[in-house]
């Protein structure tokens, strides 16, 4: 078992498979991009599967693939196939912008993928293009529908709530859970290397920040009823609209951090174990992997480094990576 210094059992590994993306969301990366890693410095699929094998022998049961954009890395279904047959892995999911999902949903489901979380902050095509700097709403929407047809359910939609950006659409987004059996989850914008102006007439992460308490108040007309959270809800507090088919969830990493329940370890695309999303501490697993050295001591060291709670509490912000280089 991987148990940290505060008694939390670590059962969830969140793996970034690439630092590249086909979108450039304003809260996630600077307008002129990031310094991309050379391909040789990115973990190969076999190397990722090896980390999962060792982790699964020591209690990791859930894996989530993220990025950058995971579907932008060729052959992702083959990685899903490798991971889904590893003994001990009970759940494998992907977080994606869904731009490429219409083409890949069937193959991913056949390879053993169970569910997808799709990032969608707006239902307005012009706004979608501003937030993502280059994206097309229609592609993401087609991806959501394809995922549903392929049985990658329940579909979870993640929307970052931002004052002055999409706060006039919170009700419209929540109402997706009225007509569809989808879980719409609002999340607070996190201050991860995104404090410079976002451009395009948008604010930045400080002025765009909205606490989930306020988002819930704005949705009070929906008369949301609390529901027991299912497995896989993670840190979301979940509700239903009385006559709705889906769920509405709230994730408040900043205002009500859920560190006490944290069961996560992260692996970056360039092979660093990151004990906490919002802390810059990391250790590299790549040299050990490539030399064939034991990985367990590094997993244990990373788990041992997990802070009790993230450092935003003390006003320290992570600065070493943008969110696109961590994976969210
Ligand atoms: N490209 C995929 C996607 O967009 O779903 C996966 C990677 S993305 C980094 C993972 C999640 O992080 C997305 O849901 C995105 O909205 C969220 N995210 C990125 N930057 C964020 C920030 N500063 N605050 C809150 N969420 C953020
Ligand atoms: Fe790409 Fe996802 Fe970041 Fe948007 S949030 S830039 S889609 S990695």
């Amino acid at each position: 078992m991987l148990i940290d210094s505060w008694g939390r059992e670590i059962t969830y590994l969140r793996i970034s498979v690439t630092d590249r993306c086909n979108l450039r969301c304003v809260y996630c990366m600077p307008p002129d991009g990031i310094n991309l890693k050379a391909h040789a410095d990115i973990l190969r699929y076999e190397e990722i599967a090896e980390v999962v094998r060792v982790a699964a022998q020591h209690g990791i049961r859930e894996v989530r693939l993220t990025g950058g954009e995971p579907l932008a890395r060729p052959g992702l279904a083959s990685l899903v196939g490798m991971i889904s047959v590893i003994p001990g892995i009970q759940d494998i999911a992907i977080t994606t912008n869904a731009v490429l999902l219409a083409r890949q949903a069937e193959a991913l489901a056949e390879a053993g993928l169970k569910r997808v979380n799709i990032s969608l902050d707006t239902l307005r095509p012009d706004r979608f293009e501003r937030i993502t700097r280059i994206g097309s709403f229609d592609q993401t929407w087609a991806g959501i529908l394809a995922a549903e047809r392929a049985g990658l359910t329940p579909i979870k939609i993640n929307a970052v709530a931002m004052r002055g950006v999409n706060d006039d659409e919170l009700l419209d987004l929540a109402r997706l859970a009225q007509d569809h059996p989808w879980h719409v989850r609002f999340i607070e914008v996190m201050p991860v290397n995104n404090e410079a102006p976002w451009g395009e007439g948008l604010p930045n992460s400080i002025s765009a920040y909205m606490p989930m308490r306020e988002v819930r108040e704005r949705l009070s007309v929906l008369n949301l009823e609390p529901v027991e959270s299912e497995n896989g809800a993670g840190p979301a507090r979940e509700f239903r609209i009385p006559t709705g088919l889906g769920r509405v969830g709230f994730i408040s990493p900043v205002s009500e951090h859920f560190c006490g329940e944290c069961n996560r370890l992260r692996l970056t695309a360039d092979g660093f174990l990151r004990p906490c999303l919002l802390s810059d501490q990391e250790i590299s697993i790549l040299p050990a992997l490539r030399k064939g050295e034991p990985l367990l001591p590094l997993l244990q060291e990373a788990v041992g480094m997990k802070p009790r709670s993230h450092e935003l509490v003390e006003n320290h912000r992570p600065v070493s990576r943008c969110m696109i280089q961590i994976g969210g």
Side-chain angles (χ1 to χ4, degrees), residues 20-29 67-69 96-97 119 132 323-324:
R20 286 151 213 259
C21 188
N22 43 11
L23 301 182
R24 314 174 79 78
C25 302
V26 288
Y27 43 70
C28 184
M29 68 187 297
E69 175 46 40
T96 173
N97 60 34
S119 306
T132 62
M323 203 64 109
I324 189 171

Side-chain angles (χ1 to χ4, degrees), residues 14 21 25 27-28 66-70 95-97 117-119 121 158 160 187-192 194 323-324 326-328:
R14 191 169 172 114
C21 188
C25 302
Y27 43 70
C28 184
T66 174
E69 175 46 40
T95 297
T96 173
N97 60 34
N117 285 27
I118 295 169
S119 306
D121 305 323
N158 287 354
V160 180
I187 182 158
E188 291 171 347
V189 67
M190 288 179 261
V192 181
N194 54 7
M323 203 64 109
I324 189 171
I326 305 173

